Structures are given as C-alpha cells and as structure tokens.
Amino acid sequence: MEKVEYVVRPIASEDELKKVIEINAVTLPEHYPYFFWLEHYELWRDIFLVALAGERIVGYNMCRIEYGVGHVKRGIVKQGHVVSIAVLPEFRQRGIATALMTSAMNSMKKKYGADEVYLEVRVSNEPAIRLYEKLGFKKVRVLKRYYLDGEDAYLMAREL
Ligand code: ACO
Ligand code: ZN
C-alpha cells in the first residue's frame, strides 16, 4: 500500500466544517442538522479533530463533553462522547482513525479532566468495533433499535 502522510489537528474554520459534513454525507447513514455540527465546532473545538493528507481533509472525529452516570466508573462522572468519526474510503486502514481517537482521548483527559469516554456503534459495524476494542473500549450494553432503521447499537466505553 502506498504511504500517506497525514496530520491530525483541531478543526480550524467553518469552511473545514463544510468539508467534514461532506465526508459524513458519503461515509455514514447518520446525518445531523447544521446547528448540531456548529454547536460542537463552537463549544468543543479542541476535541473536534480533522485528519489532513496534504491540504485535503480525509477524516474527522467530532466529540463532546457531558456529565452522566458512569458506564465504567461509579457515580456521576465527566464523560467524553465520541459523536461521529469517519475516514474517506481511499484513506482507510492506515491508522488515521486510531490517530483521531487517541488524540481526542488525550485532550478529553488533559484539557477537560474527563474520567471516561463512550460512544455508540452499529452492532454490524465490525471495522469500527475492532478499532474501538483495539483502543481498549468494552461493550457495556446493547441499545435496542437505537438507529432510525431499527438496528441495535453497542454502547462501548473505557476509562481515561
Ligand atoms: N476490517 C476489520 N477491522 C478493521 C477494518 C476493516 N475494514 N478497518 C479498521 N479495522 C480495525 C483494525 O483492528 C485496525 O487495526 P489494524 O490496522 O492493526 O488491523 C483498527 O481498526 C485501526 O484501523 P485504522 O486504520 O486506524 O482505521 P481507519 O482509518 O480505517 O478508520 C473507520 C476506521 C473510522 C471505522 C472507517 O472504516 C470508517 O470511516 N468507516 C465508516 C464510518 C464509520 O463506520 N464510523 C464509525 C461509526 S460509530 C461512531 O461514529 C461513534
Ligand atoms: Zn452518541
């Protein structure tokens, strides 16, 4: 496989946000209204990451911070929530999603003091489930009919 140099960094402009939304449109069935993207861009920019190959945005990881009942820790905890991550098909299996996840988890812990990180993933999405398991996430529970088409989700989480 040809080597691709890439850089991971926080999203820098609303122009970049538009590129991210284009990637989401072609890679995932879950789409969001613009205000939802913009909320993450405005409030949690340092954990809204993009991956660049040269000048081109080829992947993103949009996260947020919440307080809630711990999935792996006890009581009410500070949680990083991975809302949406994707890499363009031509750039997959080169470690880009791993870099997007490790960088986001690092900032969740260092900048926000988050105790744990969680996400939802389709039970059929084996590449993503393997990625998360490789990063130390565990399946915590099944969320029945979580998606609009009726598919179940795994809620996956790990300590930070
Ligand atoms: N088959 C099996 N395992 C895979 C695959 C695959 N096709 N792709 C990745 N993995 C696993 C492997 O364990 C891999 O480690 P390895 O390379 O040592 O075998 C590990 O994931 C890390 O792979 P990366 O190269 O870092 O992942 P990549 O950059 O290819 O991105 C992603 C993975 C984001 C799941 C990509 O396939 C994608 O964009 N899919 C479509 C969108 C999507 O499903 N996003 C996640 C939805 S859930 C959510 O957003 C919270
Ligand atoms: Zn979610």
Side-chain angles (χ1 to χ4, degrees), residues 27-28 82-88 91-99 119-122 125-128 130-132 134 147:
T27 52
L28 279 166
V82 179
V83 176
S84 183
I85 177 172
V87 174
L88 284 174
F91 294 89
R92 287 180 192 164
Q93 289 183 282
R94 293 173 158 101
I96 295 180
T98 302
L119 54 83
E120 302 90 8
V121 59
R122 285 177 182 266
N125 192 347
E126 277 173 34
R130 286 213 196 148
L131 162 74
Y132 304 139
K134 209 168 169 189
Y147 296 98

Side-chain angles (χ1 to χ4, degrees), residues 4-43:
V4 174
E5 300 289 335
Y6 61 87
V7 170
V8 166
R9 60 150 170 80
I11 187 168
S13 67
E14 253 188 89
D15 256 12
E16 291 190 349
L17 181 59
K18 291 186 177 114
K19 302 268 167 35
V20 164
I21 293 169
E22 284 170 26
I23 294 176
N24 170 263
V26 299
T27 52
L28 279 166
E30 284 68 51
H31 310 307
Y32 311 102
Y34 190 70
F35 73 79
F36 185 77
W37 293 101
L38 201 57
E39 179 187 37
H40 290 79
Y41 172 75
E42 281 170 355
L43 294 181

